[in-house]
Amino acid sequence: QADWLMRFYQFDAEEILCDEQPDLALDMDPKLAWALRRPEHFPLDVNRAAYEQILRIPGVGVTSAQRIVAARRHARLTHEHLKKLGVVMKRARWFITAQGEPSFTVQEAGSAYVRKVLSEQKAPIKRSRQLSLFGDGPP
């Protein structure tokens, strides 16, 4: 994942890791971990931010960033537009502002709160009632 950040999202190796956290977080995407360590870079206005800045928003991939830059030439973007462009709003909403929409960002909420909300576990998946050749699980 760190290699992906450097190749496609224009990060430097020094940005991904820091002296306080010399290892990657195993429970979190490295781009999200970077954003939570640097809340002063956010929120970004998706209608004004440079392409390079948009790439650093958690929940925004290369294709979505390109779509944002292209779409905002024609209209001011809202959260609904961003959703339709493929942005993962569950993550991105903490780091962006959009046309006329109030947002509760990482600046107001704090990094610890955002981390907690985004890392909450989903309800456990019920096991299938399908018959298994191995009994309760693999040997």
Side-chain angles (χ1 to χ4, degrees):
Q1 288 179 327
D3 176 56
W4 193 267
L5 287 180
M6 293 181 348
R7 286 194 287 151
F8 297 103
Y9 295 95
Q10 303 173 2
F11 279 83
D12 293 324
E14 296 81 31
E15 292 179 284
I16 299 169
L17 300 175
C18 62
D19 292 335
E20 301 85 42
Q21 293 181 331
D23 298 315
L24 292 173
L26 298 177
D27 63 336
M28 180 179 307
D29 172 63
K31 186 160 78 163
L32 177 59
W34 175 86
L36 291 173
R37 283 195 313 268
R38 291 170 180 79
E40 67 275 5
H41 292 281
F42 302 100
L44 289 174
D45 182 347
V46 294
N47 289 296
R48 294 189 184 126
Y51 172 75
E52 294 77 19
Q53 293 175 304
I54 294 170
L55 280 175
R56 292 175 178 241
I57 300 169
V60 177
V62 174
T63 303
S64 297
Q66 291 168 344
R67 289 176 182 165
I68 289 169
V69 172
R72 69 184 185 185
R73 292 183 195 141
H74 306 287
R76 304 279 296 161
L77 301 177
T78 65
H79 286 178
E80 192 59 37
H81 292 132
L82 295 172
K83 206 185 257 185
K84 290 178 182 177
L85 293 173
V87 173
V88 180
M89 291 303 292
K90 177 182 177 181
R91 278 180 273 162
R93 73 181 196 92
W94 299 100
F95 303 95
I96 61 170
T97 59
Q99 175 67 28
E101 296 191 26
S103 56
F104 186 53
T105 67
V106 69
Q107 286 289 340
E108 291 90 14
S111 294
Y113 177 79
V114 174
R115 180 184 184 113
K116 179 181 178 253
V117 168
L118 293 178
S119 64
E120 286 179 347
Q121 296 293 324
K122 297 178 184 174
I125 299 171
K126 292 183 180 180
R127 290 190 62 123
S128 171
R129 299 205 63 175
Q130 182 175 351
L131 180 63
S132 171
L133 296 176
F134 302 107
D136 287 342

